[in-house]
Amino acid sequence: MSNKNVEKQKRIYKILDDAELKKTPARIDTLNLFSGNCHPMSAEEIFKFLKKRYDLATIYRNLSALEEKKILSKVNLRSGSVHYEVSNMHHHHIVCTSCGKVEEFSNCNIKRTISNVLSESKNFKKIDEHALELFGVCKTCGVK
Amino acid sequence: MSNKNVEKQKRIYKILDDAELKKTPARIDTLNLFSGNCHPMSAEEIFKFLKKRYDLATIYRNLSALEEKKILSKVNLRSGSVHYEVSNMHHHHIVCTSCGKVEEFSNCNIKRTISNVLSESKNFKKIDEHALELFGVCKTCGVK
DNA sequence: ATAAATGCAAAGGTTTTGCACCATT
DNA sequence: AATGGTGCAAAACCTTTGCATTTAT
């Protein structure tokens, strides 16, 4: 195993240790998948990427646990199933409403909006998370 | 029936006519519900509000039809089921991650973000819709 | 009269759960 | 040894679909 991969494994071990989750093969493999792929993935997709080595229920349970520990976040791409991505790489998505293609972007400029919103909110004084997704028709699908 | 309600019915008839959808009781009642309530609703909620007078499958079919005609829009509140709201009242939501309370806001300042994003996008040159939801703990739940 | 909408029942897809067994700490 | 994770099967949940009947135009 290369030095780089050793580093990667160490990072994943630390993530699970910090979260007080046991370092099981299913979790390690799942986190490896996420660290090599910045696209959001559904439980079913992860299940297939991992060659069905682990039960689908296990994948679901681990995704929930990792979300609770703030390691992964849910993303809604209007696809029928929930997708997850690594929490710390803050970015958003543009989804093609025709073919489903997903493109990432990161400059969401949300801070100003949040402070405006909070100054007028009756019920909230702090925002912890935000979800922003854009929808359009991609250039390929837009060609008639 | 008051003058005001007559006007409301006329508006709803016009909406359905313009969309080339038949003016059936199920649709009229559903649109009446939406026009008196700015909170997003799920199929199940509508079904119950309408005292189960119409089949749940009918509610689902009508919601789809109304969404296709751009009269309603989907909203994702991370609740397990899809919610809908009237399209023409552009606003977004702050959802309490503890109790599920929903508050609306409308000043999302998204235009600048969209034009920035498009100028750097490889696959998209136009955005048709955007989904923005904020998540936090409301003042009631935040009190320890 | 025609095309569309509805109700009912059944199925589809995604996600969750109970329980016995197994792995990590 | 003890706690937590897994696999399997079953169920729960949300949503869609087929078909016969009813309704709106």
Side-chain angles (χ1 to χ4, degrees), chain B residues 31-74:
Chain B
L31 288 179
N32 262 309
L33 245 195
F34 275 106
S35 81
N37 179 345
C38 66
H39 265 65
M41 289 182 287
S42 67
E44 186 71 33
E45 284 163 357
I46 294 164
F47 180 61
K48 283 178 184 156
F49 272 123
L50 299 182
K51 310 285 181 203
K52 310 188 178 185
R53 265 197 298 275
Y54 311 102
D55 196 273
L56 190 52
T58 297
I59 305 286
Y60 274 107
R61 277 186 283 231
N62 285 341
L63 289 173
S64 287
L66 292 165
E67 197 215 354
E68 219 155 77
K69 299 297 185 172
K70 314 277 187 202
I71 296 161
L72 299 179
S73 306
K74 286 185 181 177

Side-chain angles (χ1 to χ4, degrees), chain B residues 124-142:
Chain B
F124 294 85
K125 63 181 179 202
K126 186 164 160 284
I127 297 300
D128 302 308
E129 291 177 77
H130 63 277
L132 171 64
E133 320 300 332
L134 305 181
F135 299 89
V137 176
C138 76
K139 288 174 185 170
T140 307
C141 293

Side-chain angles (χ1 to χ4, degrees), chain A residues 40-90:
Chain A
M41 290 182 285
S42 67
E44 185 72 32
E45 285 164 356
I46 293 164
F47 179 60
K48 283 177 184 155
F49 271 124
L50 298 182
K51 311 286 182 202
K52 310 189 180 186
R53 265 197 297 272
Y54 311 102
D55 196 274
L56 190 50
T58 297
I59 305 285
Y60 274 106
R61 278 186 283 230
N62 284 341
L63 290 174
S64 289
L66 292 166
E67 196 215 353
E68 220 155 77
K69 298 298 186 172
K70 314 279 187 201
I71 295 161
L72 299 179
S73 306
K74 286 186 179 177
V75 191
N76 174 262
L77 302 175
R78 298 192 182 172
S79 70
S81 57
V82 174
H83 286 66
Y84 288 84
E85 68 182 359
V86 177
S87 301
N88 66 16
M89 42 165 68
H90 179 75

